[in-house]
Amino acid sequence: MTSSPQDPAFVPTLGDFFADGGLLMWPILGCSVVVLGLAIERYLSLRRARVLPDAVLDAVERVVAGRSADVADSVLASGAPAARVLAAGLRRRGHLLADVEKAMEDRLREETARLRGNVRGITLIAAIAPLLGLLGTVLGIADAFAAVERTGLGRGENSEALAAGIKVALYTTIFGLFVAIPPTLLAAHLQARARRLAAQIAHALGPAADALAAPPRSAPPPERAPEAIDAA
């Protein structure tokens, strides 16, 4: 004799769990696939070799040594976030230190926002998945009560059918939470990784800002008072 969903000893397989959950299981599954794609893209983008490559560090050494003209255009056009920050400083070469630092800091803020770009998508999906699960549960419970309303709750079989219907309706909430929890942790990890890389860029390119700035002008000697000149 086979077990049925009303049997207390019945343990659904993964296929049964997914099929009994209803149509909203598919959007939740789609959320997990999107999260996987975004996570792979962010991990590839948040590698130190891509954000702060050795070529940029060599360019910083040339700038500090006073050979900023030797920095190859290919390095600045490499597409690395650190290279774009350095290029912003080179465009202000010869200006006051405050101007050079501001240009590099503004560019660094833009690059930091780019590094965090798709992390927002992961956070959004982590919020949507449990809501989809809750919606599926509410719809499932409504269907279960509608079935009881048609047949009546006088018999024990109907009570068991209602309990089984509510249990199946909860599958979407379970699946939604299962999909939402890992992306929440992943988003926090990627946010911290982006902040750490931004701090490394700022630390590595700090000496270049000092080297690119114009030396401070020396103050002119004070003029001698007329009385002092006559006394002389």
Side-chain angles (χ1 to χ4, degrees), residues 14 38 49-51 75-76 81 88 100 124 136 152 158 176 194 199 202 209 211-212:
L14 184 60
L38 293 176
R50 184 189 178 281
V51 175
V75 174
L76 301 179
V100 177
L124 178 62
N158 294 336
L212 289 170

Side-chain angles (χ1 to χ4, degrees), residues 7-9 23 40 47 69 73 84 101 136 156 158 163-164 167-168 172 180 190 192-193 210 216:
D7 186 354
L23 292 177
I40 293 174
R47 291 174 299 158
D73 292 337
R84 290 192 285 266
E101 288 181 340
N158 294 336
K167 182 186 75 171
V168 170
T172 53
L190 292 174
R193 188 166 183 162
D210 297 329

